[in-house]
Amino acid sequence: MRLDQKYSGNVYILSSDDYAASKAVIYGMPMDYTVSFRPGSRFGPARIREVSIGLEEYSPYLDKSLEDINYFDAGDLLLPFGNAGRSLEVIGEYVKGLLDDGKFPFGLGGEHLVSWPVIQQVYAKYPDLALIHIDAHADLREQYEGEPLSHSTPVRKAAALMGGKNIYQFGIRSGSREEFQFGRENINFYPFEVLEPLKKVLPELAGRPVYLTIDIDVLDPSCAPGTGTAEAGGITSKELLAAIHAMAQSELNFVGADIVEVAPAYDPTEQTQIVASKLIREMLLGLVK
Ligand SMILES: [Mn+2]
């Protein structure tokens, strides 16, 4: 699999053509075929990039500009539509290549199951990995209607792989009783809130390699209606930006990140993908060292 090629024409604002000179590599994972409710997130990465043209390059929060850094946008990976198992293998192989090249994998989903092969590869490289998961949903099911490859299962799989005490979940407000019980017993589990508990745990993660996965549905549907399984009672985009800035100012060693579950068809105002494109700017400027 070629790593220095672009898989689609459409790229994030100001992305570089120079793979070798880029620390972060953005790649889309256009997969949405294991979702429990409404599909459409496979169109998220492309539309996030299209609306990024409306962003300022400069972040007044961080006093940094996209013009001052190099990042490569590979476009969307070519995934075999409908074949979840093989799609996850393609993603894993691609991300392994990025990690072997010393890159910071920056993934755009797609449904949340796409994070699972990425976490496997990042953990293989960094055995001391911690996972920060910001989402409305616990994603702690073992299976959904008998199917272990479901977007409701990636964090349960991660817990079995890396140990639940290396996982930190924030903003969770939806799941089964069993998921909430499992989370409270096995994970560093902070339901409903994001910024305040996150600030408290950042010092204990100082120096550790960290992978960050953000499901856009942690936001209240009034901020981000364009997602397959919207959940009332979420945080504002202002709080999520503040959470990213708190992580940017921390001593954590971020080694990869993703934003998933943007489904543009459910948001005619386009706010969801516009919010996501701004979150990406702040993550590129704040988390990629
Ligand atoms: Mn979710």
Side-chain angles (χ1 to χ4, degrees):
M1 198 180 303
R2 283 277 304 278
L3 292 166
D4 59 350
Q5 82 165 57
K6 294 184 185 285
Y7 287 87
S8 72
N10 144 354
V11 295
Y12 190 75
I13 180 175
L14 293 189
S15 71
S16 166
D17 287 330
D18 191 344
Y19 175 83
S22 297
K23 176 71 178 177
V25 175
I26 298 172
Y27 59 101
M29 298 171 280
M31 167 171 162
D32 63 2
Y33 19 94
T34 82
V35 298
S36 54
F37 189 31
R38 304 180 298 179
S41 62
R42 72 178 185 273
F43 302 110
R47 196 63 195 144
I48 289 169
R49 295 184 182 99
E50 284 168 2
V51 301
S52 72
I53 194 71
L55 279 175
E56 294 281 3
E57 295 86 8
Y58 175 67
S59 165
Y61 309 92
L62 297 167
D63 190 27
K64 291 180 180 172
S65 174
L66 292 175
E67 293 168 313
D68 301 331
I69 62 169
N70 274 313
Y71 48 94
F72 183 84
D73 187 344
D76 286 0
L77 301 181
L78 297 169
L79 302 180
F81 184 75
N83 186 338
R86 180 59 195 148
S87 295
L88 299 185
E89 287 174 9
V90 171
I91 293 165
E93 288 164 18
Y94 180 77
V95 170
K96 181 177 189 311
L98 295 184
L99 293 167
D100 288 347
D101 282 350
K103 304 303 185 188
F104 182 110
F106 198 126
L108 306 182
E111 55 159 277
H112 217 153
L113 187 59
V114 298
S115 301
W116 165 231
V118 182
I119 292 165
Q120 286 175 285
Q121 294 298 334
V122 176
Y123 177 69
K125 178 166 182 176
Y126 302 98
D128 188 33
L129 187 72
L131 174 65
I132 294 180
H133 171 222
I134 301 178
D135 195 335
H137 305 93
D139 290 358
L140 288 171
R141 281 177 153 90
E142 285 193 293
Q143 42 80 21
Y144 192 87
E145 303 292 341
E147 178 50 66
L149 290 184
S150 160
H151 79 147
S152 62
T153 64
V155 183
R156 181 65 170 258
K157 295 182 195 308
L161 175 73
M162 58 190 283
K165 289 304 175 194
N166 296 309
I167 299 175
Y168 295 76
Q169 290 186 287
F170 301 95
I172 313 300
R173 58 187 185 277
S174 178
S176 66
R177 184 192 300 272
E178 194 272 339
E179 284 180 280
F180 272 74
Q181 186 176 345
F182 182 89
R184 290 197 165 100
E185 290 174 0
N186 297 284
I187 312 272
N188 301 289
F189 190 70
Y190 300 95
F192 307 110
E193 307 297 328
V194 176
L195 184 58
E196 288 311 311
L198 177 69
K199 281 184 186 165
K200 290 199 181 87
V201 306
L202 287 176
E204 71 186 72
L205 289 171
R208 280 187 73 178
V210 175
Y211 187 82
L212 170 64
T213 182
I214 296 178
D215 186 326
I216 201 73
D217 68 27
V218 72
L219 294 174
D220 191 77
S222 57
C223 294
T227 193
T229 40
E231 286 289 339
I235 65 171
T236 64
S237 57
K238 187 174 182 179
E239 179 171 347
L240 187 50
L241 284 165
I244 290 169
H245 297 141
M247 290 187 274
Q249 285 149 15
S250 74
E251 301 296 310
L252 277 57
N253 171 27
F254 286 93
V255 295
D258 63 48
I259 294 185
V260 300
E261 298 279 3
V262 171
Y266 306 113
D267 184 356
T269 73
E270 303 235 66
Q271 278 311 307
T272 310
Q273 44 271 30
I274 290 169
V275 167
S277 70
K278 180 167 177 173
L279 297 171
I280 292 164
R281 183 190 74 192
E282 298 305 299
M283 291 161 74
L284 284 170
L285 293 172
L287 304 185
V288 183
K289 302 281 163 66

